[in-house]
Structures are given as C-alpha cells and as structure tokens.
Amino acid sequence: MSYPENSNRNLDLVRSVQRAFEANELGEIREQLALLHPSELADLLESLPASMREELWVHIESKAEGDVLVHASDPVRTGILEGMRPDEVAAATASLEIDDVADILQALPQEMVGEVLRSMDSQNRQRISAILDYPEDSAGGLMNVDTVAVRADVDVDVVLRYLRLLGENVPQRTDSLIVVDRQNVYLGLLPLATLLTAPAETLIGALMYLDADAIRAQTAANDVVTIFEQRDLLSAAVVDDDGHLLGRITIDDVVDVLREQNAHAVMSAAGLDENDDLFAPVLGAAKRRATWLAVNLATAFLAAGVI
C-alpha cells in the first residue's frame, strides 16, 4: 500500500532526477541515489522511461545493484539484465541470498543463465541450480537452500557452540533450526527461543516441534501462501517426495508471491499483463493490447446501441 506522502516524495524525486539529467549534473544525481534504499531505487527506475533507466543505472552504487534488481518489477529487471554481461550479473548478485539470485536468473534467457552460472564458483552454481530445477511458481522455486540443520540426538550445548562457530554465516531470517536424522530426512523444527531457554544438557529431540509439517517441493506457490496464512508461519522446511530436506521458505518469499498476485489482479483489470512495462513505446504497447482494446471498443458500441 502506498501512502500519499510517499507518492508525493517519489514524484518529487523523479522530477528532481529528470532535471538533473537534463542539466547533466551527474554529481547531484549520485548524491541523491546514495541516500535511497534499494527498494526506493527500484521504484524510481520503474517511474522513468526505459531510455532514462539505462542512464540512471550506471550511477547506482555497485554494492546496491543486486538488491535493486531484487525489488524491481519483472519488465524493469529484464530490461536492465539484458544490458549486462554475464560476469556483471554474477558480480551484482554475489551478496544476495540464493533464492533471490535464482529469481533474478529466471528472468534471463536460458543461454545467458548458463553463462552467468559458469561465472560463479562451483558451490554457488550447485546451490542455485538446485532451485532452478523446480518451476518458478512452486515451493522448490521459492525455497532458499541455505539452512541450519541439526540432529535430534545432540544436546543444546552442542548446537549453541555450532551456531557460534557459524557466526555471521547463519542464514538471514533464521527463526527456527531444522531437525533431521543421519540420512537428512526431515523430523521437525526447533524455534530459537526454545533453544536459548532450554538447559544445556537437553537433547534436541526432546525440544523439537513434531507437528511442524514440511512442504513438498512440488507444491504450488498459491498453496504455499495458503499454508503460511492458515498456520501463521514465519518459515517452513521444504522436502522432496522421500522427506529429505532441500531448503526452507521464509515469510518474505510468501510476501513476494502475494505482491505478484496483487499486481496481476490490478493489471488484469486494466487489460494489462504484470510483465508489461508501463513506459514501453506506445506502438509496441498498443500491439500487445490490441485484442483487449478491440473487445472494449466493441462492448462500448454495443452499449451505445442499446441506449
């Protein structure tokens, strides 16, 4: 939901950037862009014509490029990626979570995806390929393969020492640890709050939640949203048909699905596709919307005839 003050701020920013471009004040542009959050930069790119986006993109700090791509809409993201080399895409996404990198790569042609993967180290290549093996609109396509998995037969003290060893490598938005057996079969979840308040000698098997069902990798994204809503989940494990742990889905992934659904509903009401660029050339947009416009015109004539 956009609030009026945010809309006015974005409009003022767009006008300010346009004036700076016209005056060729590149220093002022960089100063303004450096103050914005990546999501605001993505909104700004979406508010500008395609030709101006390309000029603006070169002034965005390289460390923010990946996050901007994550927040950008599909048509804007695709347009930017088409102008980047595979090694540039790999560098821009190097600091992102694996599921976000997979989302970005899914917007690229298949041959370019292969080139980007070859630009990465073997570990990241394997992790991303594990997600790309599943449809984009499935639990497997939404999941992040980075998890913290522990066994049920170890105690709390061992797990706490393991977490300290991981340090900053603990995946973001980790609210629970995933409990598995020696064959990596999913057993249950262990909330961090439960772990931190339990006696050090307590076995993990005695603390884990056995009723926290995992989600099958082939589950449709819409069904994943329903599961999260009905069970008030923050995260959930993803498993294959044999119950082996593959990854996890977090609430931010579900929010992304909901945002796409809302965008589809709004755009469909206007006879548009969510992949349409609102700043695309008029002729191209008219061709894509010709059928819908013809139907709309025909119904208008029919209504006028009835009247």
Side-chain angles (χ1 to χ4, degrees):
M1 178 176 177
S2 297
Y3 294 93
E5 57 269 26
N6 291 336
S7 299
N8 292 335
R9 178 176 180 273
N10 290 340
L11 182 58
D12 291 341
L13 180 59
V14 170
R15 290 172 176 169
S16 176
V17 170
Q18 288 176 331
R19 287 195 296 268
F21 267 121
E22 292 171 359
N24 199 31
E25 298 173 347
L26 302 183
E28 180 182 345
I29 294 174
R30 294 192 184 98
E31 289 179 5
Q32 293 184 28
L33 298 183
L35 298 175
L36 297 179
H37 186 273
S39 63
E40 295 177 314
L41 288 171
D43 290 340
L44 177 60
L45 287 169
E46 294 171 9
S47 303
L48 296 171
S51 58
M52 193 172 289
R53 290 174 195 157
E54 297 175 4
E55 297 179 40
L56 182 66
W57 179 254
V58 300
H59 299 294
I60 294 176
E61 295 181 351
S62 57
K63 64 181 180 180
E65 289 180 350
D67 289 320
V68 174
L69 289 172
V70 169
H71 289 94
S73 62
D74 287 343
V76 172
R77 179 192 300 168
T78 301
I80 293 173
L81 290 171
E82 287 176 349
M84 299 175 67
R85 300 191 310 271
D87 61 311
E88 291 176 334
V89 177
T93 57
S95 62
L96 299 179
E97 294 187 5
I98 293 300
D99 56 334
D100 289 333
V101 179
D103 289 340
I104 290 173
L105 294 187
Q106 285 166 343
L108 293 173
Q110 193 60 42
E111 60 274 11
M112 190 172 179
V113 172
E115 294 179 12
V116 174
L117 290 176
R118 284 191 290 274
S119 300
M120 299 178 175
D121 60 67
S122 58
Q123 184 180 11
N124 282 336
R125 188 184 311 126
Q126 293 174 358
R127 293 155 70 207
I128 295 172
S129 296
I131 299 175
L132 295 177
D133 286 340
Y134 293 95
E136 184 178 0
D137 58 350
S138 69
L142 294 174
M143 71 178 179
N144 189 336
V145 296
D146 292 334
T147 63
V148 179
V150 297
R151 294 207 308 271
D153 57 355
V154 300
D155 60 32
V156 168
D157 183 58
V158 170
V159 174
L160 289 176
R161 284 190 279 115
Y162 173 56
L163 291 177
R164 294 190 192 101
L165 184 64
L166 288 177
E168 295 181 355
N169 292 322
V170 174
Q172 296 181 21
R173 287 175 288 278
T174 296
D175 64 304
S176 299
L177 306 184
I178 302 176
V179 185
V180 298
D181 65 12
R182 292 180 181 274
Q183 285 71 47
N184 199 41
V185 173
Y186 173 78
L187 298 178
L189 289 180
L190 175 61
L192 287 181
T194 302
L195 174 70
L196 295 174
T197 55
E201 67 278 3
T202 308
L203 291 178
I204 298 302
L207 298 174
M208 67 180 181
Y209 288 11
L210 297 173
D211 58 348
D213 294 333
I215 299 175
R216 300 287 179 180
Q218 299 294 347
T219 303
N222 290 341
D223 294 333
V224 172
V225 172
T226 301
I227 292 171
F228 267 70
E229 180 183 8
Q230 292 176 342
R231 304 179 186 178
D232 292 327
L233 300 178
L234 293 177
S235 65
V238 179
V239 298
D240 62 15
D241 292 337
D242 296 321
H244 294 102
L245 177 66
L246 298 174
R248 67 188 179 114
I249 295 175
T250 52
I251 188 65
D252 62 306
D253 303 314
V254 175
V255 170
D256 288 340
V257 175
L258 288 172
R259 184 178 62 179
E260 291 174 3
Q261 291 176 344
N262 290 335
H264 175 74
V266 172
M267 299 288 274
S268 295
L272 296 169
D273 185 89
E274 66 267 30
N275 293 321
D276 286 341
D277 186 349
L278 296 181
F279 283 88
V282 175
L283 184 58
K287 289 180 179 178
R288 287 193 299 272
R289 299 183 62 193
T291 301
W292 182 85
L293 292 172
V295 172
N296 196 32
L297 185 61
T299 55
F301 279 124
L302 178 61
V306 171
I307 292 172

